[in-house]
Amino acid sequence: MSDSRPFRPEPAQILLVEDNPGDVRLTEEAFKQGRIENDLHVVSDGDEALDFLYRRGEYADATRPDLILLDLNLPRKDGEDVLEELKADPELRSIPVIVLTSSRAEEDVVRSYELHANAYLTKPVDPDEFIETVRAFEKFWFSVVRLPPEDEHT
């Protein structure tokens, strides 16, 4: 069996930062249906996301994600604060961050890009459209885009 993914011999490491269990299930379903092998890690608030990224506490053995899917409306520390902290850190700023949120507010879009989000996707309300959006994003980011290599010493 030939491997059609020359740049990705390992499963893609994806961190999903999402507090809505329904959206988590839909995202998991979309990735299961997709063709890209991945390990989807899920945290439900901004503080947990930063603990995962900095490998603190229960996430001491966490793998560095290749890509982060970030909801803006999170309990405790919100998505904008996570994005700002992440992109200010020289060790973590190269990880692409896709804002995946229900917000259609123009100021959220503008602010996310000002904080160096790599893309902004609005979650469709319809579950089938939601899955299709995640699959389209997955295909683009893991089949078309070349992601930065992980630093060997991180």
Side-chain angles (χ1 to χ4, degrees):
M1 186 156 108
S2 71
D3 189 352
S4 62
R5 299 168 290 131
F7 296 115
R8 186 148 303 282
E10 300 288 316
Q13 300 297 316
I14 302 166
L15 176 60
L16 173 62
V17 187
E18 174 60 71
D19 65 318
N20 180 321
D23 289 349
V24 169
R25 276 194 307 278
L26 286 173
T27 305
E28 288 171 340
E29 182 63 32
F31 280 120
K32 270 188 218 146
Q33 291 179 14
R35 296 203 316 267
I36 310 301
E37 193 177 336
N38 67 77
D39 292 330
L40 183 65
H41 308 276
V42 181
V43 295
S44 60
D45 66 50
D47 287 335
E48 272 189 81
L50 292 171
D51 286 348
F52 186 99
L53 292 164
Y54 287 110
R55 299 175 176 149
R56 298 186 294 228
E58 67 178 288
Y59 301 108
D61 296 327
T63 56
R64 178 185 170 98
D66 295 308
L67 190 132
I68 299 167
L69 282 172
L70 178 66
D71 188 15
L72 291 182
N73 304 310
L74 297 168
R76 295 168 50 180
K77 187 180 288 273
D78 74 17
E80 279 188 4
D81 291 339
V82 172
L83 185 57
E84 189 167 24
E85 191 167 332
L86 175 67
K87 292 301 185 177
D89 186 314
E91 295 286 314
L92 299 174
R93 73 168 57 126
S94 66
I95 301 171
V97 177
I98 313 308
V99 172
L100 182 63
T101 185
S102 53
S103 173
R104 296 181 181 277
E106 195 164 312
E107 62 267 19
D108 286 343
V109 177
V110 170
R111 182 75 180 132
S112 293
Y113 282 117
E114 284 174 349
L115 293 172
H116 306 287
N118 297 84
Y120 188 101
L121 298 175
T122 303
K123 295 177 192 171
V125 177
D126 178 75
D128 291 333
E129 287 179 30
F130 184 102
I131 288 173
E132 196 49 50
T133 297
V134 172
R135 289 185 67 198
F137 135 83
E138 175 195 40
K139 184 175 182 186
F140 175 74
W141 281 96
F142 293 111
S143 298
V144 179
V145 172
R146 182 132 185 226
L147 295 172
E150 180 180 344
D151 238 351
E152 291 302 313
H153 56 274
T154 58

